[in-house]
Amino acid sequence: MNDVDTMQAVLITGRDALQQGCLPIPAVKAGHILIETAFVGICGTDVHLLEGDSFYLEHNYLKYPFVFGHEYSGRVVALSEDVDTLQIGDRVVGHCMVPCHSCDMCRRGKRHLCRNLKEVGLRYIQGAAADYVSVPAYAITKVPPSLSLKAATLVEPAVTVYHATERANIRPDDRVAVIGTGTIGLLAMLMAKLTASSVDVIGIEESELEFARTLGADQTLRPSEAKSDKYSVVLEASGAAVSTGLTARILDLGGRASLIGVVNQPAREFVPALVTLKDLTFHGILHGLDYYEQTVELFASGRLDPLQLVERTGSIEETDALFREMKSAQRRRPKYLLEFAGESRAS
């Protein structure tokens, strides 16, 4: 930490307005730790925040200006006296969701449905797109030496996919379709490939479908090319208005679906009768707070390399350019990262 207790941060100051600024280093409250940020992932939620079209802005969870960033990794550089589960220098990946542990949902073991939920960079906790971020000591997972902090940054989006595959109970004889070719969709394809007999990817952009093929998709299809009654599992990761109807159409008898994408409008071409007549099961997937350790272990084992999805890593001075590139139809890989301290050991 520097002598004047300030840090560099990237703030969203208004619609389509980014600014690099100097802020106080967060104080370490009781039960909290201070993390020196190594990397921050930029995701679709952050793009919506920058465009001013976001659930979090509409519900006043965020007000301009604010520091974004909910996918992050780093090292512990300070901790309050009552924290005995961590040490200075521990390498960690941060949790986006920070539950209260005391409401009825938390007590039932459904922490991701916490009624008093806070979220780093999204709801009541300053984001990680800064030199330092402070969170409760329980809101992290340790990263083993075998996993780079850069790769660990993708644990946060991947835990949602882990939850989706667990709820769908993917088996070796399953035929899986993944709808969507963004970070979540491609992670879903890679994760499903570890178990299922076949995994097809359904999308729109040819460059993204081509990349899915290089990653191992058995087939890549446009929505109109997907056959009805073909798949035993569908992992929906696009959030497109037609996706729910497409899911019901292409699922076979007794099929299971995990709906990860958020369709924030009436579903188009959805025929509810198919759910009944084919005895389908739909699971709503809200994050994957209980799957951080499993996802870290999966990445550390080398069975799934998330860095395949990273198009570019840039400095905080390049934040504006990274956001522009992320929205480009010409991109191939979906993930962009901001580098702060990087892999270097915290000072």
Side-chain angles (χ1 to χ4, degrees):
M1 289 179 274
N2 57 42
D3 294 334
V4 292
D5 291 332
T6 60
M7 64 179 183
Q8 291 297 305
V10 184
L11 300 95
I12 296 178
T13 58
R15 188 181 293 268
D16 295 317
L18 282 168
Q19 180 180 314
Q20 186 176 336
C22 193
L23 298 177
I25 294 174
V28 184
K29 299 180 294 186
H32 282 57
I33 59 174
L34 186 69
I35 298 168
E36 182 184 42
T37 305
F39 297 93
V40 171
I42 301 173
C43 86
T45 299
D46 298 316
V47 173
H48 291 311
L49 290 174
L50 181 59
E51 293 173 341
D53 179 22
S54 167
F55 163 87
Y56 295 97
L57 291 169
E58 291 170 2
H59 289 77
N60 294 316
Y61 294 130
L62 286 172
K63 294 183 180 179
Y64 301 119
F66 59 87
V67 180
F68 74 94
H70 58 277
E71 303 174 1
Y72 68 99
S73 62
R75 282 189 170 83
V76 177
V77 293
L79 36 79
S80 68
E81 293 181 356
D82 57 344
V83 174
D84 57 8
T85 56
L86 294 166
Q87 297 180 352
I88 301 297
D90 279 346
R91 304 163 73 250
V92 298
V93 57
H95 300 179
C96 169
M97 287 186 166
V98 182
C100 72
H101 290 163
S102 61
C103 72
D104 60 330
M105 299 308 293
C106 285
R107 293 197 305 270
R108 293 174 191 169
K110 297 182 179 295
R111 298 182 303 148
H112 64 299
L113 299 178
C114 173
R115 296 190 190 276
N116 306 305
L117 185 67
K118 297 180 180 180
E119 295 179 87
V120 177
L122 297 171
R123 191 183 327 211
Y124 308 134
I125 299 178
Q126 185 166 283
D131 290 331
Y132 301 96
V133 59
S134 181
V135 297
Y138 62 80
I140 56 88
T141 295
K142 290 184 183 180
V143 175
S146 57
L147 181 63
S148 71
L149 289 175
K150 188 174 185 179
T153 309
L154 278 84
V155 167
E156 195 279 337
V159 297
T160 302
V161 176
Y162 206 113
H163 183 191
T165 58
E166 287 289 295
R167 290 287 293 279
N169 190 27
I170 295 177
R171 301 184 296 259
D173 61 343
D174 277 321
R175 304 176 310 282
V176 177
V178 175
I179 303 174
T181 53
T183 300
I184 297 293
L186 294 178
L187 283 170
M189 186 272 288
L190 291 170
M191 213 171 285
K193 287 281 291 182
L194 298 175
T195 303
S197 65
S198 66
V199 182
D200 296 347
V201 173
I202 301 170
I204 301 296
E205 295 292 340
E206 180 54 38
S207 61
E208 295 175 0
L209 291 171
E210 180 184 353
F211 182 50
R213 288 193 291 272
T214 68
L215 290 176
D218 291 282
Q219 287 190 89
T220 55
L221 308 162
R222 303 297 176 92
S224 60
E225 297 171 330
K227 294 181 179 179
S228 299
D229 309 323
K230 180 177 180 181
Y231 301 98
S232 53
V233 173
V234 172
L235 305 176
E236 200 299 300
S238 73
V242 297
S243 64
T244 310
L246 176 63
T247 297
R249 178 175 69 81
I250 66 178
L251 276 172
D252 197 4
L253 299 174
R256 299 99 65 198
S258 286
L259 305 183
I260 311 169
V262 179
V263 183
N264 197 24
Q265 55 187 298
R268 287 163 37 196
E269 302 174 17
F270 175 55
V271 182
L274 294 177
V275 178
T276 301
L277 297 176
K278 292 199 285 187
D279 196 11
L280 306 179
T281 301
F282 282 69
H283 297 285
I285 303 299
L286 177 62
H287 199 53
L289 184 56
D290 293 328
Y291 296 97
Y292 274 87
E293 289 188 7
Q294 297 95 318
T295 304
V296 166
E297 290 173 5
L298 175 62
F299 284 5
S301 73
R303 296 177 65 212
L304 195 162
D305 177 13
L307 292 179
Q308 298 175 87
L309 306 186
V310 176
E311 178 70 19
R312 189 156 85 85
T313 302
S315 66
I316 59 174
E317 289 78 18
E318 298 174 279
T319 305
D320 213 17
L322 294 177
F323 269 95
R324 288 198 306 271
E325 290 175 28
M326 188 169 175
K327 294 189 287 184
S328 169
Q330 304 305 314
R331 70 175 190 180
R332 188 166 187 224
R333 295 175 175 85
K335 202 68 196 169
Y336 290 77
L337 304 180
L338 278 172
E339 182 171 0
F340 286 83
E343 300 289 347
S344 63
R345 184 167 298 279
S347 58

Coordinates of all heavy atoms in Angstrom, one line a residue, residues 279-330:
D279 N -43.1 -34.0 -20.2 CA -42.7 -34.2 -18.8 C -41.3 -33.6 -18.6 O -40.3 -34.2 -18.1 CB -42.7 -35.7 -18.5 CG -42.6 -35.9 -16.9 OD1 -42.8 -34.9 -16.2 OD2 -42.4 -37.0 -16.5
L280 N -41.2 -32.3 -19.0 CA -39.9 -31.6 -18.9 C -39.6 -31.0 -17.6 O -40.6 -30.7 -16.9 CB -39.8 -30.5 -20.0 CG -40.1 -31.0 -21.5 CD1 -40.0 -29.8 -22.4 CD2 -39.1 -32.1 -21.9
T281 N -38.4 -30.8 -17.2 CA -38.0 -30.2 -16.0 C -37.1 -29.0 -16.3 O -36.1 -29.1 -17.0 CB -37.2 -31.1 -15.0 OG1 -38.0 -32.3 -14.8 CG2 -36.8 -30.5 -13.7
F282 N -37.6 -27.8 -15.8 CA -36.8 -26.6 -16.0 C -36.3 -26.1 -14.6 O -37.0 -26.0 -13.6 CB -37.7 -25.5 -16.5 CG -37.9 -25.6 -18.0 CD1 -38.7 -26.6 -18.5 CD2 -37.4 -24.7 -18.9 CE1 -39.0 -26.8 -19.9 CE2 -37.7 -24.8 -20.3 CZ -38.4 -25.8 -20.8
H283 N -35.0 -25.9 -14.6 CA -34.3 -25.3 -13.4 C -33.9 -23.9 -13.6 O -33.1 -23.6 -14.5 CB -33.1 -26.2 -13.0 CG -33.4 -27.6 -12.7 ND1 -33.9 -28.0 -11.5 CD2 -33.1 -28.7 -13.4 CE1 -34.1 -29.3 -11.5 NE2 -33.6 -29.8 -12.6
G284 N -34.3 -23.0 -12.7 CA -33.8 -21.6 -12.8 C -32.4 -21.6 -12.0 O -32.3 -22.1 -10.9
I285 N -31.4 -21.0 -12.6 CA -30.1 -21.0 -12.1 C -29.7 -19.6 -11.7 O -29.4 -18.8 -12.6 CB -29.0 -21.6 -13.0 CG1 -29.5 -23.0 -13.5 CG2 -27.6 -21.6 -12.4 CD1 -29.5 -24.1 -12.3
L286 N -29.6 -19.3 -10.4 CA -29.1 -18.0 -9.9 C -27.8 -18.2 -9.3 O -27.6 -18.7 -8.2 CB -30.1 -17.5 -8.9 CG -29.7 -16.1 -8.2 CD1 -29.6 -15.0 -9.3 CD2 -30.6 -15.7 -7.1
H287 N -26.8 -17.9 -10.1 CA -25.4 -18.0 -9.6 C -25.0 -19.4 -9.1 O -25.7 -20.4 -9.4 CB -25.1 -16.9 -8.5 CG -23.7 -16.6 -8.3 ND1 -22.8 -16.2 -9.3 CD2 -22.9 -16.6 -7.2 CE1 -21.6 -16.0 -8.8 NE2 -21.6 -16.2 -7.5
G288 N -23.9 -19.5 -8.5 CA -23.4 -20.8 -8.0 C -22.6 -20.7 -6.8 O -21.5 -21.2 -6.7
L289 N -23.1 -20.0 -5.8 CA -22.3 -19.6 -4.6 C -21.7 -20.8 -3.9 O -20.7 -20.7 -3.3 CB -23.2 -18.8 -3.7 CG -22.6 -18.2 -2.4 CD1 -21.4 -17.3 -2.7 CD2 -23.6 -17.4 -1.6
D290 N -22.4 -21.9 -3.9 CA -21.9 -23.1 -3.2 C -20.9 -23.9 -4.0 O -20.6 -25.0 -3.6 CB -23.1 -24.0 -2.8 CG -24.0 -23.3 -1.8 OD1 -23.5 -22.5 -1.0 OD2 -25.2 -23.5 -1.8
Y291 N -20.4 -23.4 -5.1 CA -19.6 -24.3 -6.0 C -18.2 -23.7 -6.3 O -17.5 -24.1 -7.2 CB -20.3 -24.5 -7.3 CG -21.6 -25.3 -7.1 CD1 -22.8 -24.7 -7.0 CD2 -21.6 -26.7 -7.0 CE1 -24.0 -25.5 -6.8 CE2 -22.7 -27.5 -6.8 CZ -23.9 -26.8 -6.7 OH -25.1 -27.6 -6.5
Y292 N -17.8 -22.7 -5.5 CA -16.5 -22.1 -5.7 C -15.3 -23.2 -5.5 O -14.4 -23.3 -6.3 CB -16.3 -20.9 -4.7 CG -16.8 -19.6 -5.3 CD1 -18.1 -19.3 -5.1 CD2 -16.0 -18.8 -6.1 CE1 -18.6 -18.1 -5.6 CE2 -16.5 -17.6 -6.6 CZ -17.8 -17.3 -6.4 OH -18.3 -16.1 -6.9
E293 N -15.4 -23.9 -4.4 CA -14.3 -24.8 -4.1 C -14.2 -25.9 -5.2 O -13.1 -26.2 -5.7 CB -14.5 -25.5 -2.8 CG -14.2 -24.6 -1.6 CD -14.2 -25.3 -0.3 OE1 -14.3 -26.6 -0.3 OE2 -14.1 -24.6 0.8
Q294 N -15.4 -26.4 -5.7 CA -15.4 -27.4 -6.7 C -14.8 -26.9 -8.0 O -14.1 -27.6 -8.8 CB -16.8 -28.0 -6.9 CG -17.4 -28.7 -5.7 CD -18.2 -27.8 -4.9 OE1 -17.9 -26.6 -4.6 NE2 -19.4 -28.3 -4.4
T295 N -15.2 -25.6 -8.3 CA -14.7 -25.0 -9.6 C -13.2 -24.7 -9.5 O -12.5 -24.9 -10.5 CB -15.5 -23.7 -9.9 OG1 -16.9 -24.1 -9.9 CG2 -15.1 -23.2 -11.2
V296 N -12.7 -24.2 -8.4 CA -11.3 -24.0 -8.3 C -10.6 -25.3 -8.4 O -9.5 -25.4 -9.1 CB -11.0 -23.4 -6.9 CG1 -9.5 -23.5 -6.6 CG2 -11.4 -21.9 -6.9
E297 N -11.0 -26.4 -7.8 CA -10.4 -27.7 -8.0 C -10.4 -28.2 -9.4 O -9.4 -28.7 -9.9 CB -11.1 -28.7 -7.1 CG -10.9 -28.5 -5.6 CD -11.7 -29.4 -4.7 OE1 -12.4 -30.3 -5.3 OE2 -11.7 -29.3 -3.5
L298 N -11.5 -27.9 -10.1 CA -11.6 -28.3 -11.5 C -10.6 -27.6 -12.4 O -9.9 -28.2 -13.2 CB -13.0 -28.1 -12.0 CG -13.3 -28.3 -13.5 CD1 -13.1 -29.8 -13.9 CD2 -14.7 -27.9 -13.9
F299 N -10.5 -26.3 -12.2 CA -9.5 -25.5 -12.9 C -8.1 -25.9 -12.6 O -7.2 -26.1 -13.5 CB -9.7 -24.0 -12.6 CG -10.9 -23.4 -13.3 CD1 -11.8 -24.1 -14.1 CD2 -11.1 -22.0 -13.2 CE1 -12.9 -23.5 -14.7 CE2 -12.1 -21.4 -13.8 CZ -13.0 -22.1 -14.6
A300 N -7.8 -26.1 -11.3 CA -6.5 -26.5 -10.9 C -6.0 -27.8 -11.4 O -4.9 -28.1 -11.6 CB -6.4 -26.4 -9.3
S301 N -7.0 -28.7 -11.6 CA -6.7 -30.1 -12.1 C -6.2 -30.1 -13.5 O -5.6 -31.1 -14.0 CB -7.9 -31.0 -11.9 OG -8.9 -30.6 -12.9
G302 N -6.5 -29.0 -14.3 CA -6.1 -29.0 -15.7 C -7.2 -29.6 -16.6 O -7.0 -29.6 -17.8
R303 N -8.3 -30.1 -16.0 CA -9.3 -30.8 -16.9 C -10.1 -29.7 -17.7 O -10.6 -30.0 -18.7 CB -10.3 -31.6 -16.0 CG -9.6 -32.7 -15.3 CD -10.6 -33.4 -14.4 NE -11.7 -34.1 -15.2 CZ -13.0 -34.2 -14.8 NH1 -13.3 -33.7 -13.7 NH2 -13.9 -34.8 -15.6
L304 N -10.1 -28.5 -17.2 CA -10.7 -27.4 -18.0 C -9.9 -26.2 -17.9 O -9.6 -25.7 -16.8 CB -12.1 -27.2 -17.4 CG -13.1 -26.3 -18.3 CD1 -14.6 -26.6 -17.8 CD2 -12.8 -24.9 -18.2
D305 N -9.4 -25.7 -19.0 CA -8.6 -24.5 -19.0 C -9.4 -23.3 -19.4 O -9.7 -23.1 -20.6 CB -7.5 -24.7 -20.1 CG -6.6 -23.5 -20.2 OD1 -6.6 -22.6 -19.3 OD2 -5.8 -23.4 -21.2
P306 N -9.7 -22.4 -18.5 CA -10.6 -21.3 -18.8 C -9.9 -20.2 -19.6 O -10.5 -19.3 -20.2 CB -11.0 -20.7 -17.4 CG -9.8 -21.1 -16.5 CD -9.3 -22.4 -17.0
L307 N -8.5 -20.2 -19.6 CA -7.8 -19.2 -20.3 C -8.0 -19.3 -21.8 O -7.7 -18.3 -22.6 CB -6.3 -19.2 -20.0 CG -6.0 -18.8 -18.5 CD1 -4.5 -18.9 -18.3 CD2 -6.5 -17.4 -18.2
Q308 N -8.5 -20.4 -22.3 CA -8.9 -20.5 -23.7 C -9.9 -19.5 -24.1 O -10.0 -19.2 -25.3 CB -9.5 -21.9 -24.0 CG -8.6 -23.1 -23.7 CD -9.4 -24.4 -23.9 OE1 -9.5 -24.9 -25.0 NE2 -10.0 -24.9 -22.8
L309 N -10.7 -19.0 -23.2 CA -11.8 -18.0 -23.5 C -11.3 -16.6 -23.5 O -12.1 -15.7 -23.8 CB -12.9 -18.2 -22.5 CG -13.5 -19.6 -22.4 CD1 -14.7 -19.7 -21.5 CD2 -13.8 -20.3 -23.8
V310 N -10.1 -16.3 -23.1 CA -9.6 -14.9 -22.9 C -9.1 -14.4 -24.2 O -8.1 -14.9 -24.7 CB -8.6 -14.8 -21.8 CG1 -8.0 -13.4 -21.7 CG2 -9.1 -15.3 -20.4
E311 N -9.7 -13.3 -24.7 CA -9.3 -12.7 -25.9 C -8.1 -11.7 -25.7 O -7.1 -11.7 -26.4 CB -10.4 -11.9 -26.5 CG -10.1 -11.1 -27.8 CD -9.8 -12.0 -29.0 OE1 -10.3 -13.2 -29.0 OE2 -9.2 -11.6 -30.0
R312 N -8.2 -10.9 -24.6 CA -7.1 -10.0 -24.3 C -7.1 -9.6 -22.8 O -8.2 -9.5 -22.2 CB -7.3 -8.7 -25.2 CG -6.1 -7.8 -25.1 CD -6.1 -6.9 -26.4 NE -6.9 -5.7 -26.4 CZ -6.5 -4.6 -25.8 NH1 -5.3 -4.5 -25.2 NH2 -7.3 -3.5 -25.9
T313 N -6.0 -9.3 -22.3 CA -5.8 -8.7 -21.0 C -5.1 -7.4 -21.2 O -4.1 -7.2 -21.9 CB -4.9 -9.6 -20.1 OG1 -5.5 -10.9 -20.1 CG2 -4.7 -9.1 -18.7
G314 N -5.7 -6.3 -20.5 CA -5.2 -5.0 -20.7 C -5.0 -4.3 -19.4 O -5.5 -4.7 -18.3
S315 N -4.3 -3.2 -19.4 CA -4.1 -2.3 -18.2 C -5.3 -1.5 -18.0 O -6.2 -1.4 -18.8 CB -2.9 -1.4 -18.5 OG -3.1 -0.5 -19.5
I316 N -5.3 -0.8 -16.8 CA -6.5 0.0 -16.5 C -6.6 1.2 -17.5 O -7.7 1.7 -17.7 CB -6.5 0.5 -15.1 CG1 -5.3 1.3 -14.7 CG2 -6.6 -0.7 -14.1 CD1 -5.3 1.9 -13.3
E317 N -5.5 1.6 -18.1 CA -5.6 2.7 -19.1 C -6.3 2.2 -20.4 O -6.7 3.1 -21.2 CB -4.1 3.2 -19.4 CG -3.4 3.9 -18.4 CD -2.9 3.1 -17.2 OE1 -2.7 1.8 -17.5 OE2 -2.6 3.6 -16.2
E318 N -6.4 0.9 -20.5 CA -7.0 0.4 -21.7 C -8.5 0.0 -21.5 O -9.1 -0.7 -22.3 CB -6.3 -0.8 -22.2 CG -4.8 -0.6 -22.6 CD -4.1 -1.9 -23.0 OE1 -3.6 -2.5 -22.0 OE2 -4.0 -2.2 -24.2
T319 N -9.1 0.3 -20.3 CA -10.4 -0.1 -20.0 C -11.4 0.2 -21.0 O -12.3 -0.6 -21.4 CB -10.8 0.5 -18.6 OG1 -9.9 0.1 -17.6 CG2 -12.2 -0.1 -18.2
D320 N -11.4 1.5 -21.5 CA -12.3 1.9 -22.5 C -12.3 1.1 -23.8 O -13.3 0.6 -24.3 CB -12.0 3.4 -22.9 CG -13.3 4.2 -23.2 OD1 -14.4 3.7 -22.9 OD2 -13.2 5.3 -23.8
A321 N -11.0 0.8 -24.2 CA -10.8 0.0 -25.4 C -11.3 -1.4 -25.2 O -11.9 -2.1 -26.1 CB -9.4 0.0 -25.8
L322 N -11.1 -2.0 -24.0 CA -11.5 -3.4 -23.7 C -13.1 -3.5 -23.8 O -13.6 -4.4 -24.3 CB -11.0 -3.8 -22.4 CG -9.5 -4.0 -22.2 CD1 -9.2 -4.4 -20.8 CD2 -9.0 -5.0 -23.2
F323 N -13.8 -2.5 -23.2 CA -15.2 -2.5 -23.3 C -15.7 -2.4 -24.8 O -16.6 -3.1 -25.2 CB -15.8 -1.3 -22.5 CG -16.1 -1.6 -21.1 CD1 -15.2 -1.4 -20.1 CD2 -17.3 -2.2 -20.7 CE1 -15.5 -1.7 -18.8 CE2 -17.6 -2.5 -19.4 CZ -16.7 -2.3 -18.4
R324 N -15.0 -1.6 -25.6 CA -15.4 -1.4 -27.0 C -15.2 -2.7 -27.7 O -16.1 -3.2 -28.5 CB -14.7 -0.3 -27.7 CG -15.1 1.1 -27.3 CD -14.6 2.1 -28.3 NE -13.1 2.0 -28.5 CZ -12.2 2.7 -27.8 NH1 -12.6 3.5 -26.7 NH2 -10.9 2.6 -28.0
E325 N -14.0 -3.4 -27.5 CA -13.7 -4.6 -28.2 C -14.7 -5.7 -27.8 O -15.1 -6.6 -28.6 CB -12.3 -5.0 -27.9 CG -11.3 -4.1 -28.5 CD -9.8 -4.5 -28.1 OE1 -9.6 -5.7 -27.8 OE2 -9.0 -3.6 -28.1
M326 N -15.1 -5.7 -26.5 CA -16.0 -6.7 -26.0 C -17.3 -6.7 -26.7 O -18.0 -7.7 -26.9 CB -16.2 -6.6 -24.5 CG -16.9 -7.7 -23.9 SD -16.9 -7.7 -22.1 CE -17.9 -9.1 -21.7
K327 N -17.8 -5.5 -27.1 CA -19.0 -5.4 -27.8 C -18.9 -5.6 -29.3 O -20.0 -5.6 -30.0 CB -19.6 -4.0 -27.5 CG -20.0 -3.8 -26.1 CD -20.8 -2.5 -25.9 CE -19.9 -1.3 -26.0 NZ -20.7 0.0 -25.7
S328 N -17.7 -5.8 -29.8 CA -17.5 -6.0 -31.3 C -18.0 -7.3 -31.8 O -17.8 -8.4 -31.1 CB -16.0 -5.8 -31.6 OG -15.8 -6.2 -32.9
A329 N -18.7 -7.3 -32.9 CA -19.1 -8.6 -33.5 C -18.0 -9.4 -34.1 O -18.1 -10.6 -34.4 CB -20.2 -8.3 -34.6
Q330 N -16.8 -8.7 -34.2 CA -15.6 -9.4 -34.8 C -14.8 -10.2 -33.8 O -13.9 -10.9 -34.2 CB -14.7 -8.3 -35.5 CG -15.4 -7.5 -36.5 CD -16.1 -8.3 -37.6 OE1 -15.5 -9.3 -38.1 NE2 -17.4 -8.0 -37.9

